[in-house]
Amino acid sequence: MTQSVIVQVGQCGNQIGAQFWSSALKEHSSYDESGYFSESVASFFRNVDSKSGQNLPVCNPPSQIQRLKARAVLIDMEEGVLNGLLHSNVGELFNSTELIKDVSGAGNNWATGFHFYGNHYREQIIDSIRKECELCDCLQSFFILHSMGGGTGSGLGSRTLSLIADNFPDVFRFVIPVYPSADDDVITSPYNTTLAMKQISEFGNCVMPVENQSLAAICQQLGTAKVDHIKHTVTESKEKAFNKMNSFVAKVILDITASARFDGSMNVDINEICMNLVPFPKANYLVPAIAPLYSPKIPQPRHLDAIFSDVFSNSNQLCKVDLRKGTFLSCALLLRGNLQVSDVRRNVDRLSESTKFIYWNKDGWKTGLCSVPPIKQMYSILSLANNTCIKYSFENLRSRFFKLFSRKAHLHHYLNVDGMDINQVQLAHESLTDQIQFYNEMDDAKPLHVARPKVI
């Protein structure tokens, strides 16, 4: 089987990572209680000899688990979250000497994260990622977790992505960036997000954007917590709400990789996601949605068809968009649980009647069926929609960016960083505009009617 390496950058990325590792451990222990180190467990974990510290390979028959270590690289320019992670219930998965950290932070400045810390820690980041890759038998993908609004997440996160693309060009790069809410309290977040977007659009094979606003709405919908401004800061009163929000992002990774870890009648390899869902390099944004939204307080839908419909509902999207306003370039439905292929085909045929696909890809569905359901659920669906409606979020970002940039407000903080110049800001704005224009062209695309030649 294949392996994946999780790269967690910044406060937000590491908090999501903490929730992911906790969920991954629970899922594998629930699936197999034998305590053996199987190929399934090896997808995300290494088995380390408790005495010698040497990595133990997957054997046939499988050997007993001694000490699990995460296939992960943890980066943050503030110590708080990483120190908390080491003392958490998943802390034993990481070695304190393998963390890349500083004490001062990037101060909500993309340029500080990208140029200052990116240059300072460049070799250490490459070396840590290379060491983790060398411990894999068949490395297939990276998952990069980071925020877009802060300095470390946006700056150092996008710099780390570019370093991975340069040094490991043949390994798939899945980026899960967390976009700030429109009412975010980081005034410079439009700058940070726009500058980071240029990098992830260029170097990410698949980008699955997540918005704080959508995560907060889902938590309110489930009755988990009432939160006005969702920020990835740890406070005791909101910690459970943040864990629930982060668990939805963690579930995206678990569901994407489920076919690589467990058996199924229609397993989808990770490389198939990129191959089938990204028709052009610019069309690499996939809107994730989950159904059902699991909560012990809410009864699960009894009818399978309802879950297929829910996954296209606005309330189930992890990015605040309306799929009905856009055109589908492609769409994946990754299912888990005791489902039949006939159930999938029936619902895909039903949904196709009301789903607008671009004319040259009318049958742009990619379906996968893994037999192992999520914990405490009978079945679930992860939808990855390549839909032009994402342009409305980008237009909103461009509007917020231009309000600052037209006045050159706060720009001196960026230009004072070595390696940063005004041209980079302008290029980032142009890249965002080009991205919007691309989706506009996809919306306006119509088939060419070429007259048949007449036979004289």
Side-chain angles (χ1 to χ4, degrees):
M1 284 193 176
T2 58
Q3 293 90 42
S4 299
V5 173
I6 310 296
V7 181
Q8 310 167 191
V9 187
Q11 181 176 350
C12 169
N14 280 289
Q15 288 177 345
I16 292 174
Q19 191 63 41
F20 165 76
W21 293 112
S22 177
S23 300
L25 283 173
K26 291 176 183 177
E27 183 166 282
H28 281 284
S29 61
S30 173
Y31 171 71
D32 184 1
E33 299 179 353
S34 65
Y36 289 114
F37 186 63
S38 62
E39 288 186 342
S40 174
V41 178
S43 296
F44 287 125
F45 299 96
R46 296 183 285 112
N47 190 20
V48 179
D49 188 283
S50 55
K51 294 181 179 179
S52 65
Q54 296 294 316
N55 287 284
L56 302 174
V58 177
C59 301
N60 191 12
S63 58
Q64 198 74 27
I65 292 175
Q66 296 197 27
R67 289 175 57 196
L68 284 183
K69 292 294 180 181
R71 299 188 188 276
V73 177
L74 283 60
I75 306 169
D76 198 2
M77 295 298 100
E78 292 181 356
E79 292 183 305
V81 173
L82 291 183
N83 289 339
L85 190 56
L86 288 176
H87 293 90
S88 69
N89 59 346
V90 295
E92 292 185 359
L93 295 174
F94 316 103
N95 295 325
S96 59
T97 56
E98 296 176 352
L99 309 185
I100 301 173
K101 59 183 179 179
D102 208 295
V103 293
S104 56
N108 295 326
N109 189 326
W110 178 89
T112 302
F114 189 89
H115 289 290
F116 179 76
Y117 287 121
N119 291 335
H120 185 74
Y121 288 98
R122 179 181 181 277
E123 296 303 324
Q124 189 176 347
I125 291 173
I126 295 174
D127 187 54
S128 294
I129 294 175
R130 180 174 288 114
K131 286 180 180 178
E132 204 59 55
C133 293
E134 290 172 351
L135 295 173
C136 297
D137 295 322
C138 184
L139 175 64
Q140 190 173 36
S141 63
F142 290 102
F143 285 89
I144 298 95
L145 312 176
H146 66 99
S147 70
M148 298 288 278
T152 301
S154 67
L156 193 53
S158 56
R159 181 63 179 274
T160 300
L161 173 62
S162 67
L163 292 174
I164 292 174
D166 290 341
N167 289 272
F168 308 93
D170 298 327
V171 183
F172 292 104
R173 300 173 296 279
F174 290 84
V175 187
I176 303 184
V178 179
Y179 281 68
S181 305
D183 55 357
D184 186 74
D185 66 350
V186 179
I187 296 174
T188 56
S189 67
Y191 282 150
N192 297 332
T193 306
T194 303
L195 287 160
M197 261 197 69
K198 182 180 184 302
Q199 302 295 320
I200 65 174
S201 298
E202 181 178 353
F203 296 113
N205 295 120
C206 290
V207 182
M208 291 162 283
V210 175
E211 289 186 351
N212 277 330
Q213 194 172 353
S214 294
L215 296 175
I218 289 174
C219 286
Q220 291 179 8
Q221 177 184 339
L222 296 178
T224 304
K226 212 169 184 180
V227 185
D228 295 325
H229 293 276
I230 296 297
K231 313 285 188 308
H232 281 270
T233 53
V234 178
T235 58
E236 190 173 345
S237 60
K238 296 180 180 179
E239 188 172 357
K240 288 185 179 179
F242 292 134
N243 288 342
K244 188 63 178 176
M245 289 169 60
N246 292 336
S247 70
F248 290 118
V249 186
K251 181 170 168 50
V252 172
I253 307 175
L254 291 173
D255 288 353
I256 287 177
T257 59
S259 290
R261 296 179 291 124
F262 306 117
D263 294 329
S265 56
M266 293 173 58
N267 273 356
V268 174
D269 202 8
I270 286 179
N271 61 352
E272 294 182 58
I273 295 176
C274 294
M275 183 64 66
N276 289 274
L277 297 189
V278 182
F280 308 106
K282 279 190 175 181
N284 58 346
Y285 284 83
L286 310 177
V287 179
I290 296 171
L293 297 172
Y294 175 75
S295 174
K297 301 178 182 179
I298 297 179
Q300 299 302 293
R302 292 173 180 249
H303 202 282
L304 180 61
D305 291 8
I307 299 179
F308 276 88
S309 299
D310 288 346
V311 83
F312 290 94
S313 169
N314 293 350
S315 59
N316 290 59
Q317 310 292 325
L318 303 192
C319 185
K320 199 168 182 63
V321 296
D322 189 346
L323 298 176
R324 296 169 298 181
K325 294 183 178 180
T327 302
F328 282 86
L329 306 184
S330 57
C331 184
L333 296 176
L334 306 180
L335 298 93
R336 300 182 62 180
N338 186 22
L339 304 171
Q340 303 300 318
V341 175
S342 58
D343 295 325
V344 179
R345 290 175 177 168
R346 183 186 73 253
N347 279 282
V348 167
D349 290 341
R350 178 177 62 86
L351 292 168
S352 296
E353 297 176 359
S354 58
T355 305
K356 179 187 174 185
F357 274 87
I358 199 163
Y359 73 90
W360 43 258
N361 196 25
K362 289 292 186 181
D363 299 318
W365 297 97
K366 180 65 180 177
T367 56
L369 182 51
C370 173
S371 60
V372 177
I375 299 175
K376 297 181 181 180
Q377 291 183 257
M378 294 176 59
Y379 34 67
S380 73
I381 304 176
L382 169 67
S383 168
L384 297 175
N386 195 334
N387 191 296
T388 59
C389 66
I390 192 69
K391 70 179 182 182
Y392 297 111
S393 294
F394 295 164
E395 287 173 348
N396 179 267
L397 170 62
R398 183 175 62 175
S399 175
R400 292 164 53 217
F401 168 90
F402 193 71
K403 286 179 181 179
L404 294 176
F405 189 59
S406 61
R407 298 283 183 175
K408 301 296 187 290
H410 304 282
L411 198 58
H412 62 285
H413 299 299
Y414 293 77
L415 301 181
N416 288 337
V417 178
D418 287 342
M420 186 69 183
D421 57 58
I422 191 68
N423 187 50
Q424 294 178 52
V425 184
Q426 293 170 337
L427 288 174
H429 178 252
E430 291 173 8
S431 175
L432 178 58
T433 300
D434 289 345
Q435 195 78 42
I436 296 170
Q437 181 60 30
F438 168 79
Y439 285 119
N440 285 333
E441 292 172 0
M442 292 295 102
D443 267 336
D444 298 336
K446 295 179 180 179
L448 295 175
H449 297 286
V450 180
R452 297 179 64 181
K454 295 182 179 179
V455 179
I456 300 176

